[in-house]
Amino acid sequence: MALLRRRQNYYHRLRRLLPVVSLVSCAFLVLFSFLSFLYPSPVDVDHRHLTGHHSTENFGVDNDAIGVQSFLIPTKGGRPDRDTWSSRNAKFYYGCSNASSKFLRPEAITQPNRYLMIATSGGLNQQRTGITDAVVAARILNATLVVPKLDQKSFWKDASDFSEIFNVDWFISSLRKDVKIIKELPKKGGRTWGVRSMRVPRKCSEKCYTNHVLPVLLKRHVIQLSKFDYRLANKLSTELQKLRCRVNYHSLKFTDPIRGMGQMLINRMRMRSRHYIALHLRFEPDMLAFSGCYYGGGEKERQELGAIRRRWKTLHIANPDRARRQGRCPLTPEEVGLMLRALGYGSDVHIYVASGEVYGGERYLAPLKALFPNFHSKDTIASKEELEPFASFSSRMAALDFIVCDGSDVFVTNNNGNMARILAGRRRYFGHKPTIRPNAKKLYRLFPIRANMTWEAFVLKVRSYQRGFMGEPMEVRPGRGEFHENPSSCICEEPVAKSMKDSGNKKPGKKGDTVKEEPESVVDDQDADNELDWWEQEDEDQDGDLSGRGQLNETMLEYDSGNSDEPELYELLSD
């Protein structure tokens, strides 16, 4: 009986607790549903696990978007080994191109009835080198220079003349103490002169001009040098090298409409960020086809680029592996992005991209945009109406990109073409603003195996390989490389920089401070070869034989000989 009474009491207590238990269970169910809604899916959890890291750095790049799952890429640039926005010791070097007192004025040397006409070749920047060298050639020949003609029939098909790209009045007046320049060839007794057209060999020296060009000029009085690009030797006397610099860096100014639009684009980039990177991205189908390189696109890529290569009947079949080993292949957009992240640039950095048609479109651009979402171009920061006056002229559009790249805090290139070279030299002359050129010879070994190493190991390798390729003062030996890229004759040092190098153990700093001097970052001979791009436009370098450059260089010389009706290949590649 007592047992039955205890069971009844337990049953009544349980009935009283049942509503409470049900209420609590409902509350837990609602809470669990709410948390399930907020918590990421298992796929997201796995993704966060892949992109997580033991350190406090933020890892948020979608590694699937860049094709590597086991390679953990941070969104932040990490702790750089250098100031990412300036060059070390740049303040101790400056551009100096004034003529000496021994450099005679043109009135004293220019001979009457001696006129030099120039027909440039290629795109905007290739023509710029021709214009610069034309002034020097006129000085060598003691001739009056007629304002050069721009190439209007090349691959770029731009009908602009000199005065529509450059300020012609400034060009003439600023060089009045160096060379006599006129806009048009004068009449000869009311009649037109008979003009003799000729072509000089590439890298023609001062002696070459006086021995081979001057006799023709003395006889005919007017000559026109055609296809005038890289027709002047890399090494000249110091006075003539400084004249080159005066032309390139002071006398060649774009017209006011181009300069105004270019400055507006710079201002709009500055409104977005205090600093910005400008990237000259050469990844057009024609250029990739000519390079003979392979970029992992499978049989489709081989067929597409192979079809383009067949346009040039004399182009030999290239070995893609050999081309990459020799640093002849431009970096892909993804590889450029990885290099920049390893050098310390985070995903918050704004990038202005100057490029033509990118092979593969978004398929190749997506990895770069994933790494740097703040991705801009003149088409994204200016309206169609604002660009309309320039849009039909390839050289004017290229000039806008030139201005924005020149005005950037950091200039980066995936190639070593004319625009990259000229901007590298210009940025050295005007304060050594950072200019990053990939050390393609060494980086080619690193990118394919990056999935097998940690991010930290990858960073150490990239920063090691890029020493000497960052636009720092004195990183390239004077006289090495193309003069337009390394105008060493026009770079002067402050006395404190000279004393620093002479002492060998001090850096500029507070009085009394002594710091062990790091070794000069000078490109060695092997890396210096990387400064000569794989579409080399010279038959013999001043520092040695280029016979080892292979069949691509030979093909370039065949086209230059004038024996083919096909378009000059370097026109497709240079700007």
Side-chain angles (χ1 to χ4, degrees):
M1 192 66 180
L3 181 61
L4 181 60
R5 190 179 298 112
R6 283 196 298 273
R7 286 181 177 178
Q8 289 176 347
N9 291 339
Y10 176 77
Y11 175 73
H12 288 301
R13 286 197 298 271
L14 185 61
R15 288 186 61 185
R16 288 196 297 270
L17 289 174
L18 188 59
V20 177
V21 173
S22 299
L23 183 62
V24 172
S25 299
C26 289
F28 273 112
L29 183 62
V30 171
L31 180 61
F32 178 77
S33 300
F34 180 71
L35 292 175
S36 298
F37 176 77
L38 293 178
Y39 197 73
S41 66
V43 175
D44 292 334
V45 172
D46 291 342
H47 175 72
R48 289 186 180 185
H49 175 72
L50 283 173
T51 57
H53 197 263
H54 58 79
S55 73
T56 57
E57 276 217 358
N58 233 348
F59 284 71
V61 173
D62 185 356
N63 291 284
D64 291 339
I66 60 173
V68 182
Q69 289 188 347
S70 59
F71 194 54
L72 309 180
I73 306 172
T75 56
K76 293 184 179 180
R79 183 179 298 173
D81 58 350
R82 51 181 289 278
D83 181 356
T84 55
W85 299 111
S86 64
S87 295
R88 185 169 65 96
N89 293 333
K91 61 183 178 181
F92 301 109
Y93 298 85
Y94 61 95
C96 54
S97 59
N98 290 337
S100 72
S101 58
K102 297 179 181 179
F103 196 72
L104 299 177
R105 296 176 69 96
E107 299 85 38
I109 62 170
T110 305
Q111 301 299 311
N113 294 332
R114 195 182 290 188
Y115 298 98
L116 177 65
M117 302 178 68
I118 295 293
T120 60
S121 179
L124 173 67
N125 296 290
Q126 188 167 324
Q127 293 185 87
R128 188 183 186 110
T129 63
I131 295 168
T132 299
D133 291 347
V135 175
V136 181
R139 176 78 190 196
I140 294 172
L141 297 169
N142 294 331
T144 297
L145 176 67
V146 181
V147 170
K149 295 180 180 179
L150 300 189
D151 187 350
Q152 299 176 337
K153 298 179 181 180
S154 70
F155 170 82
W156 306 101
K157 292 182 172 59
D158 190 319
S160 303
D161 60 29
F162 189 100
S163 62
E164 291 173 308
I165 303 292
F166 301 104
N167 186 328
V168 64
D169 293 326
W170 171 256
F171 177 72
I172 294 173
S173 64
S174 64
L175 292 169
R176 66 186 181 277
K177 297 180 180 180
D178 300 307
V179 175
K180 183 179 179 181
I181 305 176
I182 57 176
K183 292 183 180 180
E184 295 180 352
L185 186 66
K187 299 289 184 178
K188 179 185 179 182
R191 295 182 299 175
T192 304
W193 288 86
V195 180
R196 167 69 182 274
S197 181
M198 61 183 296
R199 191 186 301 187
V200 296
R202 290 189 181 277
K203 302 296 183 182
C204 191
S205 64
E206 296 175 58
K207 186 177 180 180
C208 169
Y209 275 91
T210 56
N211 288 349
H212 300 289
V213 181
L214 184 57
V216 181
L217 182 59
L218 293 175
K219 181 179 180 180
R220 302 299 295 264
H221 302 294
V222 181
I223 60 171
Q224 175 173 285
L225 303 181
S226 60
K227 294 289 184 182
F228 198 81
D229 61 318
Y230 295 98
R231 304 289 168 171
L232 189 61
N234 194 47
K235 292 183 179 179
L236 301 172
S237 67
T238 300
E239 290 289 359
L240 292 181
Q241 297 288 53
K242 287 183 178 293
L243 175 56
R244 261 178 167 166
C245 294
R246 290 197 293 278
V247 180
N248 199 2
Y249 306 135
H250 297 284
S251 298
L252 275 179
K253 288 186 177 181
F254 294 117
T255 59
D256 289 343
I258 293 175
R259 293 174 65 194
M261 185 65 193
Q263 187 59 52
M264 187 180 76
L265 295 175
I266 292 176
N267 294 341
R268 290 182 180 177
M269 287 300 298
R270 296 290 181 200
M271 290 171 61
R272 288 165 168 79
S273 178
R274 179 183 175 188
H275 301 291
Y276 75 91
I277 292 175
L279 167 61
H280 184 222
L281 184 64
R282 296 300 312 277
F283 211 69
E284 296 91 342
D286 286 330
M287 190 191 72
L288 299 186
F290 180 69
S291 73
C293 300
Y294 175 66
Y295 293 94
E299 188 60 29
K300 180 182 178 183
E301 177 186 314
R302 291 189 177 93
Q303 290 181 359
E304 290 176 346
L305 298 184
I308 298 174
R309 287 177 62 82
R310 285 192 289 274
R311 297 176 188 172
W312 303 300
K313 298 177 183 178
T314 58
L315 187 62
H316 299 279
I317 297 176
N319 183 327
D321 293 332
R322 180 185 177 190
R324 197 160 178 83
R325 286 197 307 271
Q326 294 177 342
R328 295 179 176 179
C329 298
L331 267 60
T332 68
E334 175 187 356
E335 290 170 344
V336 173
L338 290 171
M339 177 188 70
L340 289 176
R341 183 60 49 80
L343 292 174
Y345 300 97
S347 61
D348 58 333
V349 169
H350 287 249
I351 293 184
Y352 177 91
V353 179
S355 73
E357 174 193 1
V358 174
Y359 175 71
E362 282 299 314
R363 180 165 66 91
Y364 276 104
L365 282 177
L368 177 59
K369 290 182 177 179
L371 287 162
F372 294 95
N374 298 310
F375 188 94
H376 311 283
S377 68
K378 56 181 176 292
D379 297 310
T380 64
I381 61 177
S383 67
K384 187 176 181 180
E385 292 73 23
E386 290 171 326
L387 292 174
E388 185 177 3
F390 314 93
S392 300
F393 305 94
S394 61
S395 291
R396 300 182 206 185
M397 293 290 274
L400 296 179
D401 279 337
F402 185 97
I403 292 172
V404 183
C405 289
D406 186 38
S408 66
D409 299 280
V410 175
F411 174 63
V412 184
T413 176
N414 74 327
N415 67 94
N416 205 24
N418 286 317
M419 180 170 170
R421 286 178 172 183
I422 290 176
L423 277 172
R426 182 178 179 86
R427 292 168 70 87
R428 290 183 191 279
Y429 185 83
F430 290 108
H432 281 87
K433 292 187 291 184
T435 301
I436 301 174
R437 301 168 299 131
N439 186 352
K441 275 189 176 181
K442 292 185 177 180
L443 289 176
Y444 96 92
R445 301 192 299 264
L446 184 60
F447 288 120
I449 62 170
R450 64 184 184 271
N452 301 322
M453 64 177 65
T454 64
W455 173 253
E456 289 79 3
F458 177 80
V459 167
L460 290 176
K461 288 287 187 182
V462 170
R463 294 180 180 178
S464 173
Y465 293 163
Q466 282 301 119
R467 291 188 187 121
F469 291 81
M470 303 294 289
E472 300 286 348
M474 303 303 293
E475 70 179 10
V476 180
R477 292 187 182 94
R480 290 291 301 179
E482 174 63 44
F483 180 78
H484 294 290
E485 180 182 13
N486 183 32
S488 54
S489 301
C490 304
I491 305 296
C492 294
E493 303 175 55
E494 295 283 1
V496 66
K498 292 183 178 180
S499 63
M500 177 185 69
K501 288 199 303 183
D502 293 339
S503 64
N505 61 356
K506 291 184 179 181
K507 287 185 179 180
K510 295 181 180 180
K511 186 176 181 180
D513 289 345
T514 58
V515 184
K516 185 178 180 180
E517 171 70 352
E518 296 178 11
E520 284 286 351
S521 180
V522 178
V523 178
D524 59 30
D525 291 343
Q526 180 180 3
D527 288 340
D529 289 340
N530 200 47
E531 298 166 30
L532 301 175
D533 59 42
W534 46 263
W535 54 83
E536 189 56 50
Q537 300 171 355
E538 54 195 8
D539 48 342
E540 185 177 350
D541 182 69
Q542 296 296 316
D543 296 313
D545 182 15
L546 288 182
S547 59
R549 301 219 162 267
Q551 296 174 336
L552 287 177
N553 191 48
E554 295 172 8
T555 302
M556 298 300 302
L557 297 178
E558 290 174 12
Y559 278 96
D560 186 53
S561 67
N563 296 326
S564 172
D565 293 330
E566 298 183 39
E568 300 229 16
L569 297 183
Y570 54 78
E571 292 175 356
L572 308 177
L573 311 172
S574 61
D575 282 357

